[in-house]
Amino acid sequence: MKVLKAKNKIDGYKTLVAEVDKLPFSHSVIDAEGFVKLYNSITETMNWPLILLNGHLRYGNKRLTYAKMLGYTHIEVVNVNDDKELERVRVMTCWKRV
């Protein structure tokens, strides 16, 4: 089992380990330069776990792409249950997208 772990934990949430192949993979826009930047930023760990809303991937498509391309079988995630909590977690992880 090859797990892509997160450096940081999100206060108030249990970090879970999900199978990469079972996560709902969706559209991810990343160019070659962006992928190189992502690749260089993740050495052994990514900064934050992926964020799921009721089990569906909401934030982290590029990190999931990275994990799939580099042969990771599992990845750390957190699961939130509603839009209000999703926004709170997004702000906590400094994700700038609105």
Side-chain angles (χ1 to χ4, degrees):
M1 181 164 73
K2 185 176 178 184
V3 181
L4 180 55
K5 295 184 177 187
K7 293 176 193 171
N8 301 299
K9 304 296 178 200
I10 299 174
D11 291 338
Y13 292 90
K14 182 178 179 179
T15 301
L16 308 169
V17 176
E19 290 183 54
V20 168
D21 289 336
K22 291 188 178 178
L23 284 172
F25 186 69
S26 62
H27 181 69
S28 178
V29 177
I30 189 167
D31 59 13
E33 184 178 324
F35 185 78
V36 169
K37 183 178 176 183
L38 177 67
Y39 181 87
N40 290 331
S41 74
I42 296 178
T43 56
E44 295 289 319
T45 57
M46 57 188 165
N47 284 329
W48 296 99
L50 304 184
I51 301 170
L52 309 180
L53 174 62
N54 296 318
H56 298 284
L57 185 63
R58 290 303 305 263
Y59 296 105
N61 278 312
K62 291 175 184 150
R63 288 169 282 161
L64 181 58
T65 300
Y66 171 93
K68 285 181 179 244
M69 290 180 72
L70 295 175
Y72 285 91
T73 59
H74 294 77
I75 193 165
E76 289 190 338
V77 302
V78 295
N79 189 46
V80 299
N81 297 316
D82 60 49
D83 289 332
K84 183 178 177 181
E85 286 301 302
L86 179 66
E87 177 63 11
R88 188 172 80 81
V89 170
R90 182 192 66 79
V91 169
M92 288 171 63
T93 60
C94 298
W95 186 253
K96 304 297 183 201
R97 184 175 169 191
V98 177

